[in-house]
Amino acid sequence: MSNDTLTHSLTFTEAPAALTVVVDPTPQIARGSAVVVERRRPKAAGWSLLQGLGVVVDHWRKSFRKLDDTTQIAGTFTTEYPEERLPLPEAYRNMPILLFDDATGHELCTSCFQCQRICPPQVIHMTQAKDPDTGKPVPAVSEFIIEYDACMSCGFCAEVCPFDAIKMDHNFELSTADHSSLTVHKTDLLRPISYYQSIAPTFWAEAEASAYKKLETNKKRRPATIGIAPQMLAQLKAAHELRDDQQEATMPTTAVASAPAPATSSAAPPARSAALAASASDLPTDKAARLAAIRARNEAKAAVQAAPATASAAPAASDGGDLPTDKAARLAAIRARNEAKKAAEQAAAAEAAPTLATPDMPPTDVQPAASEQAAPPAPTVPDASLDEKAARLAAIRARNEAKKADEQTAAAGAAPTLATPDVPPTDVPPATSEQAAPPAPAVPDAPLDEKAARLAAIRARNAAKKAAQAEGE
Amino acid sequence: MASTSPPLPNARPSPRDLLREQLATVLPHALVTLPDDLPDLIRTADVVVHADALPEVVQFVIDHLGYGLLSDLAAVDYVEHGLFELVYRFYSIGGGGDLVIKVRVPRDQPDVPSLMAILPAAMLHEREAYDLFGIRFIGHPNLRRIYMWDEFEGFPMRKDFPKQGDNYIGEGA
Ligand code: SF4
Ligand code: SF4
């Protein structure tokens, strides 16, 4: 190969074709034979030096030539990776990743084991999540491991996944000196849907509708925070605390039930709250339940104030049985249930006006007061935090009751998907948002703009439809 | 990038054309002439050589064209056409574009001579192609599975590899 090819990365069109290959007319090709490459260069001393200078002169001379367009340049062109990258085809696949919903943080994976079964080198391992109370399996994974070092990038896992939860990533920069880091755990596998959408828009567009539909179904069977991407939990918590605080501050004690709360918060990102509102819409009697919950909560609060606490252990997440306010809460719950039943009957004719600014069960009260005010685990004095805790528990209970009541009216008979209480965190900042501080609007749900209003309307319509169906059965 | 811009006038011949030209004079028996009426899917502009002649061709490419780096060996399963295609991709230390040599073998008898004696770099590539596609590289000193465990049955990247996962009916589907 001539030396020209080595040195002229740019060869102008006038220049002679640079690649000159000497072909022996009768080559003797034998394996492993010594190869002599003919360089065709004089063996005079200092020749290489002159040759190098020649290159400089050559380029200098060519630099005066005016080019009309880039097609007059020939030569080797490079892309300045990593600053500059060529686009990868959508179908490019490297290693699998798991997806979670941007809005709610829910993972799409339901632990159905399809991918684990099909994976040819058997590098997928997972543990199904269990409901801590009942011990029953929940459609979510508690741990998910892929051994990237042995994954053969076949993409079968993504192909078989019925929930579009596992997808093939485009990131190929995985080299590392730490072998063990190639055993990747769930937290590091999870990516927001928006990420996958950005690398494979048409693929996701195809999968989107069914993926979300299945996710909605599965979310209902996930108690508390199970199935929520761990990296989203902190943000969720912060958002809920913020919202709760603001609600405490803004909510009047009595007249809540009737009026749609005004949009007291102003600059809240409307798109976000719209998304949140939409994500909460899976409750058929959403509105009724929420109203009931508020009522129950107020009831409970009053009860706590009336009866001083007789101090018991810190309540477990879903078991408020030994709370001092238990009785009050239960009463409130019954009341709420009745309310809900009534509301469910009326829901068929639900008007489009959204009443969204009602409280929602926050996942934060699993570990309450982590940051609020350092509440002692076993309070003996009914201080503010206990009060609030009780109120929240009452609210949960009321809501569950309301839901149950609704299900009964639906007569859906043993639909197991609904048997567990649903506690969807409806108030989630986006996965991509940088920090949790600003996202939660004070009253996040009030339709701040047209889009939110439209979403709310859709939501109301869905609720009405569901209620109508329920009554039809 | 080059593929999107219009062809260059006076640009030097592509490595592919060069190879085809020279093979035609030096190793004419190695070149496969593809029929014109091939289905679109398996039509190719690259140089296709006979499996038996592959070592000769590769030796020629190394010795006389300076393409001494085997960068990649890809296998393609054209299940409907009963073909396996092996795509050998070479680079030259001297620069320039890559050089592709293709070999096609029938699916029911996927035997290809190994390049191990000429290019030790083919070692892992050939094991991978064997493991995933079941291509038999004649003369490979250590043709064992590389991803799968030794007892694994079948070749998972073949298009007709059974997807043994159960047919799961998702709820709400
Ligand atoms: S891409 Fe293939 S090898 Fe990798 S985890 Fe998925 S199924 Fe397993
Ligand atoms: S990633 Fe998909 S196939 Fe695998 S367990 Fe989760 S839902 Fe099932």
Side-chain angles (χ1 to χ4, degrees):
Chain A
M1 172 167 266
S2 107
N3 205 30
D4 286 352
T5 353
L6 305 185
T7 49
H8 292 186
S9 60
L10 280 184
T11 309
F12 288 81
T13 49
E14 290 84 356
L19 187 71
T20 54
V21 179
V22 192
V23 185
D24 185 347
T26 55
Q28 294 299 308
I29 296 173
R31 283 188 183 178
S33 60
V35 174
V36 178
V37 177
E38 176 58 65
R39 298 275 186 208
R40 292 206 302 179
R41 109 176 29 134
K43 293 198 168 64
W47 170 252
S48 298
L49 188 70
L50 286 177
Q51 202 182 26
L53 276 175
V55 173
V56 175
V57 172
D58 198 33
H59 278 278
W60 176 77
R61 190 171 52 78
K62 281 172 182 164
S63 68
F64 293 106
R65 186 165 298 128
K66 186 167 174 290
L67 297 175
D68 297 326
D69 59 70
T70 51
T71 60
Q72 293 176 331
I73 309 172
T76 305
F77 297 92
T78 54
T79 305
E80 292 187 11
Y81 176 88
E83 289 80 20
E84 205 186 325
R85 288 159 191 253
L86 299 177
L88 288 165
E90 260 186 62
Y92 173 76
R93 51 172 209 258
N94 200 45
M95 293 284 152
I97 49 170
L98 292 174
L99 299 185
F100 68 84
D101 182 18
D102 287 70
T104 60
H106 269 285
E107 296 155 8
L108 271 60
C109 176
T110 63
S111 195
C112 72
F113 294 93
Q114 292 305 299
C115 51
Q116 177 176 336
R117 251 178 241 173
I118 200 161
C119 175
Q122 294 285 294
V123 297
I124 300 183
H125 314 278
M126 74 186 83
T127 312
Q128 189 162 30
K130 284 209 164 60
D131 188 327
D133 297 330
T134 61
K136 290 210 177 106
V138 170
V141 278
S142 60
E143 183 54 291
F144 197 108
I145 298 173
I146 301 181
E147 297 166 57
Y148 271 13
D149 50 349
C151 166
M152 58 186 245
S153 301
C154 62
F156 285 178
C157 47
E159 229 170 277
V160 295
C161 178
F163 299 93
D164 292 295
I166 190 164
K167 293 287 177 193
M168 301 306 281
D169 197 2
H170 282 190
N171 177 24
F172 50 83
E173 295 161 324
L174 297 165
S175 51
T176 171
D178 178 15
H179 190 173
S180 63
S181 73
L182 289 174
T183 299
V184 189
H185 292 249
K186 188 175 86 166
T187 319
D188 301 320
L189 288 170
L190 282 166
R191 305 275 187 289
I193 283 175
S194 56
Y195 168 77
Y196 182 68
Q197 205 169 9
S198 71
I199 62 171
T202 58
F203 287 179
W204 180 248
E206 280 165 24
E208 189 169 10
S210 88
Y212 275 123
K213 196 173 153 207
K214 289 171 184 169
L215 177 65
E216 289 305 314
T217 317
N218 287 312
K219 270 195 318 204
K220 292 183 190 149
R221 296 173 54 195
R222 293 175 176 176
T225 55
I226 290 177
I228 296 176
Q231 51 263 68
M232 296 293 288
L233 278 177
Q235 295 182 29
L236 277 172
K237 218 181 256 183
H240 274 287
E241 271 162 23
L242 186 59
R243 199 180 70 164
D244 282 351
D245 291 350
Q246 280 159 346
Q247 262 166 7
E248 294 298 328
T250 54
M251 206 190 332
T253 333
T254 49
V256 215
S258 53
T264 47
S265 75
S266 50
R272 182 61 42 214
S273 59
L276 299 177
S279 75
S281 66
D282 48 353
L283 299 177
T285 52
D286 197 17
K287 185 177 153 190
R290 284 189 192 197
L291 285 174
I294 300 172
R295 236 171 246 206
R297 179 156 149 170
N298 292 338
E299 291 273 355
K301 219 188 275 176
V304 171
Q305 274 153 11
T310 50
S312 51
S318 49
D319 180 16
D322 46 6
L323 267 188
T325 55
D326 186 33
K327 202 166 151 199
R330 233 181 297 154
L331 262 168
I334 296 171
R335 219 169 267 201
R337 185 169 57 198
N338 292 340
E339 288 282 348
K341 226 185 269 176
K342 238 183 272 166
E345 277 157 19
Q346 289 158 0
E351 73 296 325
T355 52
L356 304 171
T358 49
D360 208 357
M361 191 298 222
T364 45
D365 58 4
V366 176
Q367 298 109 10
S371 61
E372 281 174 3
Q373 69 254 82
T380 46
V381 189
D383 58 3
S385 78
L386 173 63
D387 173 71
E388 193 188 303
K389 207 189 281 169
R392 279 200 209 157
L393 266 164
I396 302 168
R397 209 168 264 227
R399 178 156 150 173
N400 289 342
E401 288 287 345
K403 218 185 279 126
K404 244 186 257 164
D406 179 58
E407 275 162 21
Q408 276 154 14
T409 60
T417 43
L418 301 172
T420 48
D422 175 27
V423 188
T426 51
D427 187 5
V428 185
T432 45
S433 88
E434 294 70 30
Q435 3 75 323
V443 185
D445 317 309
L448 294 177
D449 63 1
E450 227 211 349
K451 197 164 155 205
R454 230 181 304 145
L455 261 165
I458 294 170
R459 202 170 149 231
R461 195 171 53 210
N462 287 343
K465 220 190 274 170
K466 263 186 220 164
Q469 272 171 4
E471 264 160 44
E473 278 169 31
Chain B
M1 290 197 98
S3 62
T4 55
S5 58
L8 305 167
N10 295 336
R12 62 185 187 223
S14 73
R16 182 171 71 201
D17 297 341
L18 196 75
L19 175 67
R20 194 193 302 284
E21 205 178 284
Q22 304 213 345
L23 280 185
T25 51
V26 181
L27 296 168
H29 62 276
L31 272 179
V32 175
T33 323
L34 297 171
D36 288 338
D37 57 347
L38 276 184
D40 276 353
L41 186 64
I42 56 172
R43 203 175 289 161
T44 178
D46 288 312
V47 175
V48 182
V49 303
H50 288 291
D52 296 342
L54 181 70
E56 266 180 300
V57 172
V58 171
Q59 188 76 60
F60 173 78
V61 157
I62 297 170
D63 291 355
H64 294 276
L65 301 188
Y67 278 82
L69 292 179
L70 175 63
S71 153
D72 192 20
L73 164 53
V76 187
D77 184 359
Y78 291 114
V79 63
E80 279 159 32
H81 306 93
L83 281 180
F84 281 125
E85 182 176 83
L86 292 172
V87 185
Y88 294 81
R89 190 175 298 273
F90 292 89
Y91 279 96
S92 162
I93 305 220
D98 57 340
L99 178 66
V100 167
I101 299 174
K102 289 184 174 176
V103 174
R104 288 179 170 180
V105 287
R107 263 182 126 256
D108 46 12
Q109 213 204 334
D111 294 340
V112 180
S114 168
L115 293 184
M116 273 290 290
I118 309 169
L119 280 169
M123 164 87 168
L124 295 180
H125 290 308
E126 290 183 353
R127 277 182 66 184
E128 184 182 8
Y130 165 73
D131 189 3
L132 304 183
F133 287 88
I135 316 274
R136 290 191 295 263
F137 291 92
I138 312 296
H140 192 291
N142 187 20
L143 198 60
R144 282 190 300 124
R145 288 193 175 275
I146 183 167
Y147 282 109
M148 304 303 149
W149 55 101
D150 288 340
E151 293 78 21
F152 190 84
E153 282 176 21
F155 303 104
M157 290 307 274
R158 285 192 179 186
K159 292 275 184 255
D160 55 1
F161 181 74
K163 303 271 168 80
Q164 77 260 58
D166 299 350
N167 188 17
Y168 183 82
I169 310 294
E171 327 150 332

